[in-house]
């Protein structure tokens, strides 16, 4: 559906419940909060399903919209969710009944009855921005949630998914009175002591492959425990190795609490991250993708390097 069609659909329905994805980031949370706020402004009943993995960094945008236990929705909407497997466990009752998916992942799996899908957007926040404009007025509170969405999904406007539209949306959000400094300080200019300890351990153990073009970072649970890192402290670890000179493929493998290995790939033009991750049962964007493997860190590393080698373009 187009923005206009989606706005019309939202206007025609009521009693919304909005779902976010596992390991919720600023985009999924900011979009859910902003959409919820806009729907309420036009007189709708709308709530966001509390995400059990919501971190303190993102909590402020969304906790005021959390659905009460006994809420019975009529319409289920997901924001920034590419596949059903990315829904948190407490969303299980709604899995088969999602009416509308608002997403920007090219790998979106078509699980909802309708979708507002724009894969040229850096953040789902850009789509929700257009929806809010079509539905209602942009308040500073909604603008702040959306600024969080677009700024976090673009690494503060530096990832190569960032477009002119991303900047136009950000500019409009600033004009609408969003808390730029607050969002920037919270998401980009603050590191916990645990995070500093974690970064230092990770960076001192970077492994190089393929003549230094691939950098591998592994994050065992034991390391997270030893530095006292919570979920907040381990956010955006995947982008760390990408800053190393000569590296065009940053492979981050993180051991999850249940023993599975979560792979994150950040790549340059030589390697299509989605294609590599698809070989591993995952997906994402051309330059940023992920997969979760039910195996050890070492085995996950071996399989990921193999997948990368398979999709890498030949040297010219
Ligand atoms: Mn996103």
């Amino acid at each position: 559906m187009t923005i206009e069609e989606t706005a019309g659909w939202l206007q025609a329905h009521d009693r919304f419940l909005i779902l976010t994805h596992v390991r919720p980031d600023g985009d999924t949370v900011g979009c859910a909060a902003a959409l919820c706020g806009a729907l309420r402004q036009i007189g709708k009943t709308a709530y966001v399903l509390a995400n059990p993995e919501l971190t303190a960094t993102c909590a402020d945008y969304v906790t005021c919209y959390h659905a009460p236990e006994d809420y019975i929705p009529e319409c289920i909407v997901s924001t920034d969710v590419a596949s059903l497997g990315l829904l948190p466990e407490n969303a299980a009752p709604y899995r088969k009944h999602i009416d509308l998916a608002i997403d920007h992942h090219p790998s979106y799996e078509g699980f909802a009855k309708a979708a507002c899908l724009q894969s040229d957007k850096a953040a789902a926040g850009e789509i929700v921005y257009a929806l809010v404009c079509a539905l209602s007025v942009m308040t500073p509170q909604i603008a702040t949630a959306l600024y969080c969405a677009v700024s976090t999904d673009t690494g503060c406007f530096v990832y190569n998914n960032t477009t002119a539209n991303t900047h136009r949306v950000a500019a409009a959000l600033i004009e609408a009175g969003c808390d730029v400094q607050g969002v920037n300080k919270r998401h980009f200019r603050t590191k916990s002591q645990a995070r500093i300890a974690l970064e230092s351990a990770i960076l001192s153990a970077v492994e190089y492959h393929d003549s230094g073009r691939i950098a591998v970072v592994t994050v065992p649970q034991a390391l997270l425990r030893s530095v006292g890192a919570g979920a907040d402290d381990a956010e955006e670890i995947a982008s760390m190795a990408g800053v190393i000179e000569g590296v065009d493929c940053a492979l981050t493998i993180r051991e999850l609490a249940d023993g599975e290995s979560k792979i994150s790939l950040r790549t340059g033009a030589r390697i299509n991250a989605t294609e590599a991750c698809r070989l591993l049962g995952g997906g994402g964007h051309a330059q940023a993708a992920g997969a979760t493997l039910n195996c050890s860190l070492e085995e996950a590393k071996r399989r990921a390097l193999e997948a990368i080698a398979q999709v890498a373009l030949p040297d010219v």
Side-chain angles (χ1 to χ4, degrees):
M1 290 199 289
T2 64
I3 294 296
E4 292 69 30
E5 287 165 346
T6 308
W9 186 90
L10 290 166
Q11 261 150 354
H13 290 79
D14 203 351
R15 296 192 66 81
F16 297 93
L17 181 68
I18 306 168
L19 309 180
T20 53
H21 62 68
V22 288
R23 293 180 289 281
D25 58 13
D27 196 25
T28 193
V29 169
C31 284
L35 181 64
C36 195
L39 288 169
R40 287 186 185 186
Q41 279 195 108
I42 58 167
K44 304 292 184 185
T45 301
Y47 289 100
V48 175
L49 182 70
N51 191 313
E53 295 178 304
L54 181 68
T55 60
T57 328
C58 286
D60 280 355
Y61 305 109
V62 74
T63 45
C64 60
Y65 298 118
H66 279 171
E69 290 274 310
D70 58 352
Y71 179 57
I72 299 171
E74 283 167 12
C75 289
I76 314 296
V77 180
S78 66
T79 51
D80 195 41
V81 179
S83 77
L84 288 179
L86 291 173
L87 287 173
E89 236 165 67
N90 64 338
Y94 309 110
R95 286 171 61 96
K96 293 204 173 93
H97 311 286
I98 299 173
D99 298 288
L100 172 68
I102 300 170
D103 194 23
H104 67 126
H105 295 96
S107 61
Y108 166 71
E109 284 180 2
F111 54 80
K113 288 170 205 153
C116 183
L117 179 69
Q118 296 187 354
S119 54
D120 60 327
K121 299 297 187 287
E126 291 174 53
I127 308 168
V128 174
Y129 164 78
L131 286 173
V132 173
C133 291
L135 280 175
S136 175
V137 285
M138 189 63 69
T139 64
Q141 189 189 5
I142 294 174
T144 297
L146 287 176
Y147 189 82
C148 162
V150 297
S151 66
T152 56
D153 250 26
T154 56
C156 210
F157 310 99
V158 299
Y159 298 160
N160 55 10
N161 59 357
T162 309
T163 65
N165 187 68
T166 318
H167 283 285
R168 274 192 291 269
V169 168
L173 296 171
I174 292 169
E175 280 171 348
C178 76
D179 179 15
V180 182
Q181 296 211 341
V183 171
N184 284 342
K185 174 67 181 153
R186 169 183 293 165
H187 294 281
F188 307 106
R189 311 299 296 169
T190 305
K191 289 178 182 184
S192 65
Q193 291 186 8
R195 171 69 182 210
I196 296 292
L198 185 61
E199 285 189 5
S200 109
I202 283 172
L203 289 175
S204 62
V206 176
E207 240 181 58
Y208 296 100
H209 295 260
D210 191 14
S211 317
R213 294 188 292 184
I214 301 175
V216 185
V217 152
T218 49
V219 189
Q221 282 286 320
L223 171 60
L224 294 172
R225 275 195 302 273
S226 75
V227 298
D232 264 23
D233 304 309
E235 273 179 3
E236 284 303 313
I237 287 256
S239 61
M240 275 175 61
V243 304
I244 303 166
E245 189 173 24
V247 168
D248 69 354
C249 177
L251 167 60
T252 305
I253 311 164
R254 186 166 146 197
E255 186 183 9
L256 302 179
D258 59 6
E260 290 188 314
S261 295
K262 161 87 178 134
I263 285 171
S264 301
L265 260 190
R266 300 290 181 271
T267 60
R270 190 172 61 96
I271 291 158
N272 184 310
T274 293
E275 280 180 28
C277 286
R278 203 173 281 143
L279 292 174
L280 303 164
H285 307 278
Q287 254 80 72
T292 303
L293 300 180
N294 191 6
C295 64
S296 69
L297 284 175
E298 274 306 307
E299 174 69 7
K301 178 167 75 184
R302 193 189 60 74
R303 288 173 59 185
L305 286 170
E306 218 174 81
I308 291 163
Q310 261 190 62
V311 306
L313 298 175
D315 295 322
V316 282

